[in-house]
Amino acid sequence: MAAILPPAMLGILGGGQLGRMFAVAAKTMGYRVTVLDPDEAAPAADFADRHLCAPFNDPAALEDLAKSCAAVTTEFENVNADAMRLLAKTTRVSPSGDCVAIAQDRIVEKAWIAKAGLPTAPYLAIQSVEDIQVELAPYLPGILKTARLGYDGKGQVRVSTAEEARAAYANLGGQACVLEKMLDLQLEVSAIVTRVSATQCAVFPVAENIHAGGILDESIVPARIKPALAAEAQSMALKLAEALDYVGVLAVEFFVLDDDSLVVNEIAPRPHNSGHYTLTACLTDQFQQQVRAMCGLLPGRTDLLSPVVMVNLLGDVWKDNGGQPNWDVLAEAPNAQLHLYGKKSARPGRKMGHFNVMAATADEALDQARALKDTL
Ligand code: ADP
Ligand code: MG
């Protein structure tokens, strides 16, 4: 397919921080951007040429996108996959509605991971109450996760006994869930693939991810694991993208177990919070890759220019200070880059921004990043 070149109009479903950083990348490259998001204060609107302020399944807005955009992508997995399939009749859409539908449902997602020949945690798919009336010991202690709409640890309950698991399932209203065995994690890592076609793929360096309260807190790159293990995570992520015949940016989260084996946790059909380090530390960042993939351009180079640590800035930092955090030290640190998403209200747990710190080693960057966070 012919490449889509500037100043073509590109569309994105969703105008949160990922849509905002996509818009910055696209505008920088000379494209024009239309954002569809029902929120008048959508962070991406600051950088978009057009903001269609309408629900994601609004027929007129979708028709507008289809007509006005040379290509359309998404910033989140919970868009209506059928809306994406509909758009694909008239314009180029990546990733496909089918891939987005897979990432929307943990049961379908895990089946695809297995189909690609990759390991998951032992799990039980629970579509209805009969499915949980089996021997649960292989999955306990475990985590009951809703199949759909979970993020940042939401929709998850930790359970130790079969009784607890069944009660938690009932508490979640009997919706489809997976019961996943709780694994002993050495650490968590992620790999982000850009796939334009079978022969045009790139993968970013593996990030080591530290979570706090179910939300990503820090990403450390390069991950402090053996290089061979990082290479294995990269090749597993590429294999998954291949199995899905994926076009676009695909993030793959892994668990590293104590025996140095890798288990695929989940995927995201878009740029990922753990890839924000690429904004500072790679020649091509993950949002530029998203633009390139949707336009049919070759992926850009992904090598790491320097060890880097990304720290998420959640709304809690604002609340603790009763107003704006103290930016004075961080804003002036020569090896740090502050990114704020332009969100007006800072609720606890809300992703308000992040900062990247580059240093000679990952450990040094981590020490400096933590010291900088303490100044806020
Ligand atoms: P979310 O969609 O909220 O990111 P995840 O499935 O990635 O959901 O779970 C969030 C976090 O919970 C993971 O990053 C990990 O720290 C922990 N977790 C999830 N599943 C397991 C598991 N099977 N064993 C151990 N820890 C887990
Ligand atoms: Mg996750």
Side-chain angles (χ1 to χ4, degrees), residues 298-317:
L298 288 176
R301 269 176 57 175
T302 54
D303 44 308
L304 194 65
L305 304 177
S306 159
V308 60
V309 165
M310 188 250 13
V311 176
N312 258 351
L313 294 169
L314 302 183
D316 311 60
V317 180

Side-chain angles (χ1 to χ4, degrees), residues 225-297:
I225 55 176
K226 292 193 187 96
L229 194 61
E232 193 187 336
Q234 289 179 315
S235 80
M236 285 166 85
L238 284 164
K239 205 168 155 187
L240 198 45
E242 186 63 38
L244 294 167
D245 194 19
Y246 194 86
V247 176
V249 173
L250 176 73
V252 184
E253 295 180 18
F254 298 90
F255 298 143
V256 181
L257 306 187
D258 286 336
D259 63 357
D260 264 9
S261 63
L262 288 166
V263 165
V264 178
N265 172 26
E266 61 171 355
I267 64 172
R270 49 168 173 80
H272 193 256
N273 196 164
S274 68
H276 292 349
Y277 78 84
T278 63
L279 287 162
T280 307
C282 293
L283 189 64
T284 319
D285 69 55
Q286 60 171 350
F287 302 99
Q288 292 169 339
Q289 296 287 50
Q290 185 178 23
V291 172
R292 295 171 80 120
M294 76 191 288
C295 292
L297 308 178

Side-chain angles (χ1 to χ4, degrees), residues 40-53:
E40 261 176 51
D46 289 349
F47 291 95
D49 296 87
R50 297 179 67 217
H51 175 196
L52 300 172
C53 194

Side-chain angles (χ1 to χ4, degrees), residues 12-21 23 34-48 50-54 56 75 341-344 350:
I12 185 159
L13 301 168
Q17 67 268 16
L18 300 178
R20 176 180 171 104
M21 290 182 269
T34 299
V35 171
L36 173 59
D37 193 298
D39 181 1
E40 261 176 51
D46 289 349
F47 291 95
R50 297 179 67 217
H51 175 196
L52 300 172
C53 194
F56 292 115
E75 66 142 16
Y341 307 148
K343 296 183 184 179
K344 303 286 177 295
R350 190 173 196 207

Side-chain angles (χ1 to χ4, degrees), residues 11-219:
I12 185 159
L13 301 168
Q17 67 268 16
L18 300 178
R20 176 180 171 104
M21 290 182 269
F22 164 83
V24 170
K27 293 292 293 174
T28 302
M29 290 165 78
Y31 292 95
R32 290 168 298 143
V33 174
T34 299
V35 171
L36 173 59
D37 193 298
D39 181 1
E40 261 176 51
D46 289 349
F47 291 95
D49 296 87
R50 297 179 67 217
H51 175 196
L52 300 172
C53 194
F56 292 115
N57 55 1
D58 182 79
L62 289 170
E63 198 185 318
D64 185 326
L65 269 186
K67 283 211 178 111
S68 61
C69 297
V72 175
T73 188
T74 181
E75 66 142 16
F76 71 139
E77 47 275 40
N78 292 319
V79 299
N80 187 319
D82 280 334
M84 294 187 75
R85 293 182 184 112
L86 187 74
L87 280 171
K89 295 194 170 154
T90 340
T91 187
R92 227 195 265 190
V93 176
S94 64
S96 67
D98 290 352
C99 284
V100 168
I102 291 166
Q104 277 174 359
D105 186 314
R106 290 189 194 274
I107 297 174
V108 183
E109 176 181 278
K110 285 186 192 302
W112 271 92
I113 294 165
K115 201 167 151 184
L118 303 175
T120 62
Y123 74 97
L124 175 72
I126 307 162
Q127 298 279 13
S128 67
V129 70
E130 294 82 58
D131 296 334
I132 201 168
Q133 305 311 319
V134 297
E135 178 58 51
L136 298 181
Y139 317 106
L140 294 172
I143 308 185
L144 188 72
K145 303 180 180 179
T146 60
R148 302 179 77 89
L149 298 173
Y151 69 98
D152 288 347
K154 293 186 178 65
Q156 300 193 6
V157 189
R158 297 191 173 204
V159 293
S160 313
T161 64
E163 292 67 43
E164 272 178 36
R166 291 184 186 118
Y169 174 72
N171 269 335
L172 288 170
Q175 59 182 305
C177 286
V178 295
L179 175 62
E180 212 177 290
K181 188 170 175 59
M182 179 78 88
L183 302 175
D184 280 330
L185 310 186
Q186 185 189 134
L187 43 85
E188 297 186 57
V189 299
S190 56
I192 299 175
V193 170
T194 309
R195 188 173 181 276
V196 181
S197 70
T199 54
Q200 297 165 336
C201 302
V203 56
F204 283 111
V206 171
E208 172 186 340
N209 301 319
I210 298 180
H211 296 82
I215 307 179
L216 183 66
D217 184 23
E218 298 164 332
S219 290

